[in-house]
Amino acid sequence: MMDQNEREQLMMDIRNGHYTGPTSGLARGYAQANLVVLRKKDAYDFLLFCQRNPQSCPLLDVTDVGSAIPKMMGTHADLRTDLPRYRVYRAGVLTEERTEIGELWEEDMVCFLIGCSFTFEEALLANGIPIRHQEENVNVPMYLTSIPCEQAGSFHGNMVVSMRPMSQEYAIRASLVTARFPSVHGAPVHMGDPASIGIETIQKPDFGDSVTIKEGEVPVFWACGVTPQAAAMASKPDLMITHAPGHMYITTKKNEQLGVL
Amino acid sequence: MMDQNEREQLMMDIRNGHYTGPTSGLARGYAQANLVVLRKKDAYDFLLFCQRNPQSCPLLDVTDVGSAIPKMMGTHADLRTDLPRYRVYRAGVLTEERTEIGELWEEDMVCFLIGCSFTFEEALLANGIPIRHQEENVNVPMYLTSIPCEQAGSFHGNMVVSMRPMSQEYAIRASLVTARFPSVHGAPVHMGDPASIGIETIQKPDFGDSVTIKEGEVPVFWACGVTPQAAAMASKPDLMITHAPGHMYITTKKNEQLGVL
């Protein structure tokens, strides 16, 4: 576990652009979050999209219009600089990656922070459940599924899932452990046959990296906070800024504070 | 437990105005919900208010603009007629009670359904925890507290709580049982000294009825879905329509479907 001073040093390094890499495994103990930034005119539909799709888009915080300060998840933060890497989508097309978004900021923008499965991975490890992509030192594999999200106004799209392979025995325990954390995607949405949720080739993830699935293991799928990026590609708002996958905002909340029991 | 046909007969009686009374104890097994209706121009702030105050305003469903059909909580429902009694607030003042709101409906209205503690009362009873206001056949006592809600745009106000007195032993078990149901207010927000949350006289509730507190019992307080009505009085939107306290919408979901574990 990292202490608060170490977290603040890391946040300074990210803010100053000295650290621009992925955040998995950093600031252990602190919850990390996905970011979505939209103009106010698109904010109502997106807020409703999150409310209707709580497994893929569990909201941790929403800033006031024009503010980049997440009051519940870091009163001293600035979400324009405090993530190592951002993605910019214009009319549904990924146009650039940046390490800060100050130049793109507009006075009517709203920031949404969405729970990240890194939180429940800590709980899985604490329960003795190994995590393959951590063992293989790669990004978690993520897939665009055929599971439709509930539409909200202009926002629609299919669910993105993350996948962790494990024994059937571990899969049952993993379901119980992650169900305690609904605000970081909660229990799995599926386990077993990838084709039944529209995944053609399990070794070709749409985001992140491929991992080994050993004999006797079952792939376990959780709703993923990259779902809004798929919704952006499908729904084509004029401008939507997100984190780059794996390059998250590190909140001031401890992972355990997000547990419901 | 009521079966589906019985629920539908009751819903018809409510829709036709044949039943206009409170819904506590009706359609046992089915989740009930608080209602808030606002114009679209106020809907974003209120949606954000709910997101920021999930204990008092846990959202079960939000209709599309102009629709009175809660897609997730009753595809055949019409929220303009399917509650036994409504309250109309104009500029923060309660101006009338009605048994339907068809005449007040406007094309840009949005309906919000918020979880109701009647759901976790069934779980308390199933755990052998007696519920005083049911024993005394009155409405649950509710109090306006000094606990501020998180403001969201124009919406602000203090939390309203419901109170159930019980032994200290039951209070611990009740905390565990209700924590399973975050979408119907979850675990208690306080137990013990009423004054420390701004309640001056426990025998004078602000809403509902007074109940007996026996020697050795502790008052246990849960966040309450009447909080939006207190916010309406404080925030004074031009027009806000709600259910009348205790006269809820009966959803098509079973109570147990709202449990997270």
Side-chain angles (χ1 to χ4, degrees):
Chain A
M1 294 266 175
M2 183 176 251
D3 74 16
Q4 198 182 336
N5 287 340
E6 288 173 295
R7 177 192 172 278
E8 283 177 12
Q9 183 55 54
L10 171 64
M11 293 309 287
M12 276 300 139
D13 287 346
I14 292 174
R15 179 175 294 186
N16 297 330
H18 296 149
Y19 184 81
T20 59
T23 52
S24 175
L26 296 185
R28 280 201 189 271
Y30 286 95
Q32 301 195 15
N34 303 275
L35 175 71
V36 167
V37 183
L38 287 166
R39 292 174 175 145
K40 173 64 165 62
K41 72 180 174 66
D42 297 314
Y44 179 78
D45 284 354
F46 187 70
L47 186 53
L48 191 56
F49 185 79
C50 293
Q51 195 277 324
R52 289 180 176 173
N53 298 283
Q55 277 197 292
S56 45
C57 306
L59 278 174
L60 297 180
D61 205 350
V62 182
T63 65
D64 289 324
V65 176
S67 168
I69 302 167
K71 281 193 233 171
M72 295 180 186
M73 294 284 149
T75 47
H76 298 291
D78 184 331
L79 294 175
R80 296 169 293 197
T81 54
D82 291 1
L83 282 77
R85 192 171 290 274
Y86 300 81
R87 285 188 161 183
V88 182
Y89 291 86
R90 293 183 190 277
V93 179
L94 172 62
T95 54
E96 60 174 322
E97 281 201 5
R98 308 172 58 100
T99 58
E100 51 77 32
I101 56 166
E103 284 172 37
L104 301 179
W105 186 255
E106 298 172 16
E107 291 216 331
D108 71 342
M109 280 181 160
V110 179
C111 305
F112 299 81
L113 290 177
I114 292 168
C116 166
S117 58
F118 292 172
T119 290
F120 72 59
E121 288 186 349
E122 188 178 272
L124 292 175
L125 289 172
N127 277 268
I129 299 171
I131 295 173
R132 183 63 35 76
H133 66 93
Q134 289 194 11
E135 290 173 346
E136 299 186 344
N137 205 25
V138 294
N139 203 348
V140 64
M142 292 165 271
Y143 306 85
L144 187 59
T145 70
S146 56
I147 304 168
C149 292
E150 287 289 331
Q151 180 162 357
S154 57
F155 280 90
H156 58 92
N158 285 355
M159 185 187 287
V160 175
V161 295
S162 63
M163 187 279 285
R164 293 160 188 82
M166 58 187 73
S167 71
Q168 191 73 60
E169 197 183 335
Y170 279 145
I172 293 168
R173 180 69 190 161
S175 299
L176 302 178
V177 168
T178 56
R180 284 186 58 228
F181 294 96
S183 65
V184 293
H185 308 301
V189 292
H190 181 63
M191 55 180 76
D193 181 26
S196 68
I197 56 169
I199 299 171
E200 283 184 19
T201 312
I202 196 75
Q203 289 309 336
K204 290 189 181 165
D206 297 293
F207 306 88
D209 301 308
S210 177
V211 299
T212 308
I213 303 180
K214 296 180 186 170
E215 200 176 316
E217 287 186 335
V218 60
V220 185
F221 301 93
W222 279 266
C224 175
V226 172
T227 301
Q229 298 190 36
M233 288 184 254
S235 315
K236 308 186 197 312
D238 303 337
L239 178 60
M240 173 162 158
I241 305 170
T242 72
H243 67 291
H247 299 65
M248 320 301 287
Y249 170 63
I250 299 170
T251 76
T252 51
K253 290 266 188 198
K254 294 295 184 77
N255 285 323
E256 271 301 318
Q257 291 180 273
L258 302 181
V260 290
L261 273 182
Chain B
M1 295 269 173
M2 183 176 251
D3 74 16
Q4 199 182 334
N5 287 340
E6 288 172 297
R7 177 192 171 279
E8 285 178 12
Q9 182 56 53
L10 172 64
M11 294 309 286
M12 275 300 139
D13 287 345
I14 292 174
R15 179 175 294 187
N16 297 332
H18 296 147
Y19 184 80
T20 59
T23 53
S24 175
L26 297 184
R28 280 201 189 272
Y30 286 95
Q32 302 196 14
N34 302 275
L35 174 72
V36 167
V37 183
L38 287 165
R39 292 173 174 146
K40 173 65 165 62
K41 73 180 174 65
D42 296 315
Y44 179 77
D45 284 354
F46 187 70
L47 186 54
L48 190 55
F49 185 79
C50 293
Q51 196 278 324
R52 288 180 176 173
N53 298 284
Q55 276 196 292
S56 44
C57 307
L59 278 174
L60 297 180
D61 205 351
V62 182
T63 64
D64 289 323
V65 176
S67 168
I69 301 168
K71 282 194 232 172
M72 295 181 186
M73 294 285 148
T75 45
H76 298 292
D78 184 331
L79 294 175
R80 296 170 292 196
T81 53
D82 291 1
L83 282 78
R85 192 172 290 273
Y86 300 80
R87 284 189 163 183
V88 182
Y89 291 86
R90 293 182 189 275
V93 178
L94 172 61
T95 54
E96 61 175 321
E97 280 202 5
R98 306 173 59 101
T99 58
E100 52 77 33
I101 57 165
E103 284 171 36
L104 301 179
W105 187 255
E106 298 171 17
E107 291 216 330
D108 71 341
M109 280 181 161
V110 179
C111 304
F112 299 81
L113 290 177
I114 292 168
C116 166
S117 58
F118 292 172
T119 290
F120 72 59
E121 288 186 349
E122 188 178 273
L124 292 176
L125 289 172
N127 277 268
I129 300 171
I131 296 174
R132 183 63 36 77
H133 66 94
Q134 289 194 9
E135 291 174 344
E136 300 187 343
N137 205 24
V138 294
N139 203 347
V140 65
M142 292 165 270
Y143 306 85
L144 186 60
T145 71
S146 56
I147 305 168
C149 292
E150 288 289 331
Q151 181 162 356
S154 58
F155 279 91
H156 59 91
N158 286 356
M159 185 187 287
V160 175
V161 295
S162 62
M163 188 279 286
R164 292 160 190 82
M166 57 187 72
S167 71
Q168 192 73 59
E169 196 183 334
Y170 279 145
I172 294 168
R173 180 68 189 161
S175 299
L176 302 178
V177 169
T178 56
R180 284 186 59 227
F181 295 96
S183 65
V184 293
H185 308 301
V189 291
H190 181 64
M191 55 181 77
D193 181 26
S196 68
I197 56 170
I199 298 172
E200 284 183 20
T201 311
I202 197 74
Q203 289 309 336
K204 288 190 182 166
D206 297 295
F207 307 88
D209 301 307
S210 177
V211 299
T212 308
I213 303 180
K214 297 180 185 170
E215 200 176 316
E217 286 186 336
V218 60
V220 185
F221 300 93
W222 279 265
C224 175
V226 172
T227 301
Q229 298 191 35
M233 288 184 255
S235 315
K236 309 186 197 309
D238 303 338
L239 177 61
M240 174 162 158
I241 304 170
T242 72
H243 68 290
H247 299 66
M248 321 301 287
Y249 170 64
I250 299 169
T251 76
T252 52
K253 291 265 189 200
K254 294 295 184 79
N255 285 323
E256 271 301 318
Q257 291 181 274
L258 302 181
V260 290
L261 273 181

